[in-house]
Structures are given as structure tokens and as C-alpha cells.
Amino acid sequence: MKIYTKTGDAGTTALFGGSRVPKHHIRIESYGTIDELNSHLGLIRDQNINDNYKKILINIQNKLFTIGAILATAPDKATLKNGKDRLNIEKITASDIGLLEQEMDTMNEALPPMTHFVLPGGHQTVSFCHIARCVCRRAERLAVSLNDLEPFEPNALIYLNRLSDYLFVLARKLTYDLQANEVKWIPEKY
């Protein structure tokens, strides 16, 4: 199988179902940013971190592929002529969202209460987490914009929202685990 097809040379790309849209279309920006986020999560997973975090990150990466597939399917092509879903994959569920919440609750139990915003950084692994959190927020903003134009499964949006929270808590927990310095943001007073 060849990787290059030359079908996108004129600046368009195909969605699941065959529709073609410009490569700058909000749908492409949305799932492209999900792909970018997934790559950042791979970078975090490649660090010397707890095996449970790695297991959860693999789970998240799989869910992001699901969300990418949902976003890459135009609503008018989501259902086949026989009435079945074009995407024959498990969707994002309440239990997927619940797993992120459960993991955050578990990590938070070991952390000191947050009294200030924190400056990203302190350790390279922590910084990777903060970058992924920011990319996740961008992915969520783009997905919300797409959803305003062409609604899709609500759990996908909820998952992205919860994922950025998870990545923030993971950054704090990794700061704690790695005994890095968590720098509080204390605004200067006039």
C-alpha cells in the first residue's frame, strides 16, 4: 500500500464516506488537532513515569482515535443506506469519562490543595503534560466550533473537556512524583 495518493494535491481531503473538503476546513482542523494531541500524549507516555499512567495514556490515545474518526465523518455520511452507523466502532461512553474523573480523584488525594495558579514547568515531563493540556484545550475549542455548525456525539466533547482537566492534574501529580518544584503564580501588586 502506498502512503501517498496524490488526491490531496489540490488542497482537499476526503472524509469517511467520501466527501471532500478543503484541508483548512474546521472539521480537518478539529481532528488534526486531536492527532497532534495524541502525539503529545505518546511523548508523555515515553517518559520514565508510573506504569499506571502509561496504561491510562494508552487508553486515552485509543479514545482520541475514536474521537478523530467521529470528527472525520460528515453528518450526512454517518449512516449507511442500510441504516447502520458508518463507524462500526465503540463510541465514547459515560464510563470513559468516569475513568478520567476517577483517575483525577485518585491523583488529587496525594496532592496538596491548590491555592494558586501554577506556572507550567519544573521538569521536562511535567512540561510535556502542560503542552498536551494546552493542545487539548485547542482541540476542544475547535470541536465546539465544529459542533455548533454540525453537531456530533456529545460525549466526545465532554471527554475532551475532562481530558484537559486530567492532564492538568497529571502534571501536578508528576511534579509531586518527580519531586519537582511547583511554582505558584503570584501576581505582582501595584
Side-chain angles (χ1 to χ4, degrees):
M1 175 179 150
K2 286 189 176 185
I3 296 297
Y4 60 92
T5 62
K6 301 182 184 181
T7 58
D9 290 353
T12 65
T13 193
L15 301 174
F16 287 149
S19 304
R20 293 198 71 80
V21 295
K23 290 185 177 186
H24 60 79
H25 191 279
I26 185 82
R27 185 171 294 285
I28 307 308
E29 288 289 337
S30 295
Y31 73 73
T33 306
I34 295 292
D35 187 36
E36 180 184 352
L37 171 59
N38 211 333
S39 296
H40 283 290
L41 295 183
L43 184 60
I44 297 167
R45 192 169 47 84
D46 288 342
Q47 304 304 301
N48 186 17
I49 60 174
N50 175 296
D51 284 341
N52 185 60
Y53 303 154
K54 290 182 180 194
K55 183 183 96 182
I56 298 298
L57 288 169
I58 287 172
N59 177 280
I60 292 167
Q61 287 184 289
N62 278 296
K63 299 305 173 189
L64 289 178
F65 263 92
T66 298
I67 293 172
I70 291 166
L71 297 177
T73 306
D76 63 331
K77 301 287 185 176
T79 306
L80 299 170
K81 289 179 184 177
N82 64 10
K84 293 185 179 182
D85 286 344
R86 177 171 298 283
L87 295 177
N88 188 20
I89 58 175
E90 216 176 287
K91 305 298 188 284
I92 302 299
T93 66
S95 64
D96 296 326
I97 297 161
L99 176 65
L100 294 178
E101 293 170 349
Q102 176 186 341
E103 289 297 314
M104 282 187 279
D105 292 343
T106 300
M107 288 188 287
N108 263 328
E109 288 175 8
L111 295 173
M114 234 180 95
T115 58
H116 293 80
F117 287 108
V118 295
L119 300 180
H123 190 282
Q124 182 172 326
T125 303
V126 173
S127 295
F128 290 152
C129 250
H130 281 292
I131 290 168
R133 173 185 55 80
C134 292
V135 174
C136 186
R137 285 286 186 210
R138 178 164 33 96
E140 180 187 12
R141 290 190 303 268
L142 288 165
V144 167
S145 292
L146 174 60
N147 190 64
D148 286 349
L149 297 172
E150 298 178 330
F152 53 88
E153 296 180 40
N155 277 346
L157 283 178
I158 295 168
Y159 190 86
L160 290 174
N161 182 265
R162 209 66 84 248
L163 179 56
S164 60
D165 295 335
Y166 169 84
L167 291 169
F168 178 75
V169 176
L170 180 61
R172 288 198 73 223
K173 184 66 167 71
L174 287 171
T175 298
Y176 179 83
D177 292 351
L178 297 166
Q179 299 177 340
N181 187 26
E182 186 171 77
V183 178
K184 295 175 182 171
W185 177 60
I186 301 173
E188 294 179 16
K189 307 279 183 191
Y190 285 105

